[in-house]
Amino acid sequence: MRERPAAAGRDGLARGCPGRGSGLMRKQALIGGVALVAAMMATAIGAAPAPASAPDPKMRSAEAVAGKDLRALYEVLCPVDVVHPPAENVADRASWYSPPAKAFDDLYYVGQQGVSAWALKTDEGLILIDALFDYSVGPEIVDGLKALGLDPATIRYVVVTHGHGDHYGGARYLQDTYGARVVASRKDWDVIAQTTRWTDPKPRRDIVVDGAMDLALGRTVISLIETPGHTPGTLSLLFPVHDGAERHVAALWGGTAFNTRTREQYAGMAASAERFAGLARQRGADVWLSNHPVFDDTFAKIAAERKGATSPFVTGQATVQRALKVAAQCSRVALARDYP
Ligand SMILES: [Zn+2]
C-alpha cells in the first residue's frame, strides 16, 4: 500500500503510531520474508524475478546500520511502502493484552502488545511513561502495577511522549483517580487540544515542557527533551535505571513513524535524532527503549534468558547510537525522495 503523502485514516492508527494492531512490524517482516522467498523460488524455477527498484545507497547504508536487531525501525522509516495492520478489536482482549513485566529493578513494562507504557520506580513514587488508551489503562497499567506489587495510587507523574491517543488516552483517568500530574510539551498539549482523530478522553493541561525539562522525583531525575518529528513536540527521555549494583542510562525515543510526510516532519526527525544521539552519548545511554515494543524488541528481551548478571535490555551505547542513526538517515532519505 502506497502512502505518500498520508492522510490520517478515520482510525488514524497505523499512520500515526504503528502497532495498535498486534504487531505491525512482525507482519511487515513476514511479508518481506514471503516476498523474498517468492523471488528466490522464481529464480530457482528459472523465471526472472521482478527487478528491484534501484536501491538508494543511503537507504542501503541505513539498512546495514540497522542490522537485524533494529530492522523494524528501518522498515517503518526508510521504505515508502507501508503495510497497515488490521484495526484492533478492543473487545477481543487477547488481541491487545500483554502481561506486566520487570525490565530493571526500577523499570517495569505495563504496556500492551502494540503500545508501550513504562513505570519508573523512585523512592517517592512512580513516574509513568505514557498512558496507553482509555480502554487499556485499567487492565494494563492499574492492574499491571498491582500485579507487580506496585501501587497505582503512587503514580506522581505521567509523561506523555506525544499527543496521540495511544499514548495519552489513559492519562485523564490517572489524573482524575490518583491525582497524577500529567506532563507533555506545549506543542503537543496543543496537538491534544486540537485533535479530533482520537476518541479517548483528553487529560487536562497540566505541566508544560518548552524545549527540555529535568523532572525530579525523590533521588531520580528524568530528562525530557523535545524531539520534533513524529509530532511537533514529541518528548524523548533520558533516565537512569538499575540492575542490581549496576546503573545504566535509558534513552527512550518518543515518536517514530512518519504520519504527515511533510518536509518539516522529515527534516525535524533527522535533526532531532542527531541531537538526541549527542545527548545520549554524553550521558552514556546504553539501554534503547521505545514507546512501541516492536522498535526495541521489548518482548524478546522480557523472554530472554539473562546472560550473566546483565539485563537483556542493556544492549550498549553503540545500539542506542545505531538506532538514532537509522532514524536520522531514513529521515534524510525520505526527505530527498519526497521533496527532490
Ligand atoms: Zn504517535
Side-chain angles (χ1 to χ4, degrees):
M1 194 185 300
R2 220 165 151 77
E3 184 192 67
R4 50 175 285 226
R10 163 62 191 91
D11 58 19
L13 300 174
R15 290 169 172 82
C17 287
R20 180 168 175 181
S22 56
L24 162 65
M25 307 319 308
R26 279 191 206 106
K27 286 188 181 71
Q28 276 194 281
L30 185 65
I31 289 164
V34 169
L36 182 65
V37 169
M40 287 165 67
M41 283 173 64
T43 306
I45 60 172
S53 55
D56 180 328
K58 289 198 179 110
M59 195 162 147
R60 286 174 59 185
S61 158
E63 188 176 17
V65 170
K68 275 187 189 166
D69 58 326
L70 298 168
R71 176 83 197 171
L73 197 59
Y74 164 82
E75 284 191 354
V76 83
L77 291 173
C78 259
V80 74
D81 294 316
V82 175
V83 178
H84 297 295
E88 171 185 85
N89 179 2
V90 171
D92 176 14
R93 182 178 158 114
S95 74
W96 54 264
Y97 179 78
S98 179
K102 181 177 165 180
F104 286 92
D105 292 346
D106 47 4
L107 186 71
Y108 301 84
Y109 186 78
V110 287
Q112 54 196 80
Q113 289 174 25
V115 192
S116 310
W118 298 95
L120 182 64
K121 189 169 85 175
T122 80
D123 48 358
E124 290 187 10
L126 300 172
I127 299 174
L128 185 73
I129 302 164
D130 281 342
L132 306 177
F133 295 96
D134 185 44
Y135 73 80
S136 49
V137 62
E140 296 285 18
I141 294 175
V142 174
D143 295 348
L145 289 174
K146 287 178 184 167
L148 292 162
L150 300 166
D151 181 358
T154 65
I155 300 173
R156 298 287 175 249
Y157 295 104
V158 178
V159 176
V160 173
T161 54
H162 66 265
H164 289 162
D166 49 343
H167 305 285
Y168 76 68
R172 179 63 181 256
Y173 176 84
L174 299 171
Q175 210 170 27
D176 288 348
T177 309
Y178 305 117
R181 304 292 306 272
V182 179
V183 188
S185 71
R186 182 178 304 280
K187 287 170 185 153
D188 274 35
W189 276 117
D190 291 345
V191 170
I192 293 169
Q194 288 158 18
T195 189
T196 54
R197 184 174 135 187
W198 308 90
T199 55
D200 300 80
K202 297 178 180 184
R204 286 183 306 278
R205 188 179 292 237
D206 190 5
I207 297 174
V208 173
V209 178
D210 278 309
M213 175 188 281
D214 278 350
L215 183 69
L217 184 60
R219 284 171 294 179
T220 302
V221 179
I222 175 166
S223 297
L224 316 177
I225 298 129
E226 230 172 71
T227 49
H230 182 67
T231 59
T234 295
L235 295 176
S236 293
L237 282 49
L238 292 167
F239 54 93
V241 289
H242 295 85
D243 185 28
E246 294 177 18
R247 179 187 187 273
H248 298 277
V249 176
L252 189 152
W253 185 236
T256 301
F258 300 122
N259 45 4
T260 60
R261 295 192 175 275
T262 57
R263 185 190 294 273
E264 293 68 32
Q265 179 161 67
Y266 292 140
M269 179 91 75
S272 291
E274 283 159 3
R275 196 167 62 90
F276 190 60
L279 295 169
R281 190 183 296 114
Q282 279 173 21
R283 302 280 186 93
D286 57 355
V287 175
W288 169 249
L289 296 178
S290 171
N291 52 5
H292 288 283
V294 69
F295 297 127
D296 61 19
D297 243 341
T298 309
F299 299 125
K301 288 172 184 167
I302 286 171
E305 294 282 340
R306 287 171 70 101
K307 294 191 181 80
T310 305
S311 161
F313 281 88
V314 180
T315 48
Q317 293 190 44
T319 303
V320 173
Q321 295 299 317
R322 280 195 300 118
L324 293 165
K325 191 168 182 181
V326 171
Q329 275 188 241
C330 286
S331 302
R332 298 207 184 284
V333 165
L335 181 63
R337 180 191 62 223
D338 290 0
Y339 298 92

